[in-house]
Every structure is written in structure tokens, then in C-alpha cells.
Amino acid sequence: MIAETRAKLVAAARHAFGTIGYAQSSMDDFTAEAGLTRGALYHHFGDKKGLLQAVIGEIDAEMTERLHQVSSVSPTRWQGFVDECSTYIQMALEPEIQRIMFRDGPAVLGDISQWPTTNGCIAALKQSLRELKQDGVIIDVDEEVTARLINGASSHAALWIANSDDPQETSQRAVAGFRTLLEALRVK
């Protein structure tokens, strides 16, 4: 019952945040759509901001799964790494992700580099870099520093796309530039 209540509230909030945005949505809308009371929302999430954090956690998990699928079908570990990083940036073109993750999320929750999910991303990047280094594909780099720089660059690129007057054109430029940066890691 608890999981079902949480899921209903997250689904209702996700729909509202993705369509009309965080600022325009109300807790009464979420609870009415979910058929629940405000008390249930407060009990499970504390407030609207807590509910946004839960929605972002759900979207982030889905994005991570999609990125793993992208890298799993690549012909090489290196290509999988590049494709995964590039796909993350391109996800900023998707309306729901653009609005919730890269517009409203930072506006409400602050610096994306400080979100709890960021540590998981950095850990995954470090592991990928370690494996690429062991395979002799990339130069000898400090994996944590490089993971943090890649994470920051990809997050910033996604934010740039989401807030651009021409997201499509900005995405093409950002991905091309990002791929160029990654190429500098390769052993020549």
C-alpha cells in the first residue's frame, strides 16, 4: 500500500511537472489526480520539493538504464563510453527530461553537481575510465578528476541545450564538441 501510494503521487507529479512545470503545478493537483490527500503527500515526501526530488530520482534511474542499453550494443568499450556520454547530452532535447531535469530541477534543487544522484554518475564514469585505461585505450589520467570533469561538462552541455533558443542546433554543437574533448583521452 505504501509503495502504491508513493507511486501514484510520483506519477501525478511527474505528469504535472513534465507538462505545466514545477511552478505552475500544485499539491492539490497531484493529490486529486492520485485520489489521495495532502496528508499522504506530506507523509511520503514532506513537501512539493521532496516530491520533485522523487520524480527526478525516477527519471534519473530511467535515463541510466537507457544509457546502459546504448553502451551495451556498441562494438567496443570505447565507443560505448562515447555513445553513452553523447546520448546523455542529447536527452536534454526530450521535453520531459528538458523541463524536469534541466530547467525546473536546478531552479528548485540548486546546482545539479550537488544532487545525490551525481555521485552515482561519477562512480560509474570512474569505473568506465578505469576499464578503458586497463585496456590501454585511454591515456593515464586521474580517474576521479576526469570523471568529475566529464560529468560537469556533460551536465553543463545538457543545461545549455535545455535553455537554448535553438535546442536542436545547440545539441549538435554540444555533442560534436564533447566528442572532440573525449577523443583527447585516447591513446594515439
Side-chain angles (χ1 to χ4, degrees):
M1 188 72 169
I2 291 171
E4 183 181 331
T5 299
R6 285 182 61 84
K8 284 181 180 180
L9 286 166
V10 168
R14 183 172 176 168
H15 175 73
F17 296 155
T19 55
I20 61 173
Y22 180 85
Q24 301 304 319
S25 59
S26 76
M27 293 192 295
D28 290 334
D29 294 336
F30 311 144
T31 55
E33 186 175 326
L36 299 165
T37 65
R38 266 187 163 210
L41 188 148
Y42 290 126
H43 174 74
H44 290 285
F45 302 103
D47 58 13
K48 186 176 167 183
K49 184 176 174 180
L51 190 50
L52 176 63
Q53 289 172 315
V55 169
I56 285 175
E58 181 177 273
I59 293 171
D60 185 69
E62 291 169 6
M63 290 171 69
T64 299
E65 179 56 35
R66 287 173 57 194
L67 294 172
H68 288 236
Q69 290 172 2
V70 164
S71 62
S72 71
V73 298
S74 294
T76 66
R77 189 186 314 260
W78 170 253
Q79 192 59 53
F81 181 73
V82 172
D83 290 348
E84 191 172 310
C85 291
S86 299
T87 299
Y88 174 83
I89 294 169
Q90 292 168 323
M91 286 179 176
L93 291 171
E94 298 174 27
E96 180 186 58
I97 291 172
Q98 185 179 100
R99 175 171 277 189
I100 296 172
M101 298 293 289
F102 299 118
R103 285 190 187 155
D104 288 347
V108 175
L109 304 177
D111 182 4
I112 197 169
S113 71
Q114 301 302 309
W115 292 2
T117 55
T118 300
N119 289 331
C121 295
I122 290 169
L125 285 166
K126 278 173 51 177
Q127 180 61 35
S128 293
L129 291 165
R130 186 175 303 114
E131 291 168 357
L132 288 165
K133 204 161 74 168
Q134 289 169 350
D135 291 349
V137 175
I138 64 170
I139 60 176
D140 187 22
V141 294
D142 180 314
E143 292 135 20
E144 181 170 0
V145 169
T146 306
R148 288 182 180 281
L149 291 171
I150 290 170
N151 180 267
S154 61
S155 295
H156 188 76
L159 291 166
W160 179 35
I161 293 162
N163 293 289
S164 171
D165 290 335
D166 187 349
Q168 201 69 4
E169 189 264 340
T170 302
S171 176
Q172 291 171 358
R173 290 177 55 209
V175 169
F178 194 77
R179 286 178 179 268
T180 300
L181 286 175
L182 290 180
E183 279 299 319
L185 293 172
R186 290 191 71 184
V187 170
K188 304 297 183 238

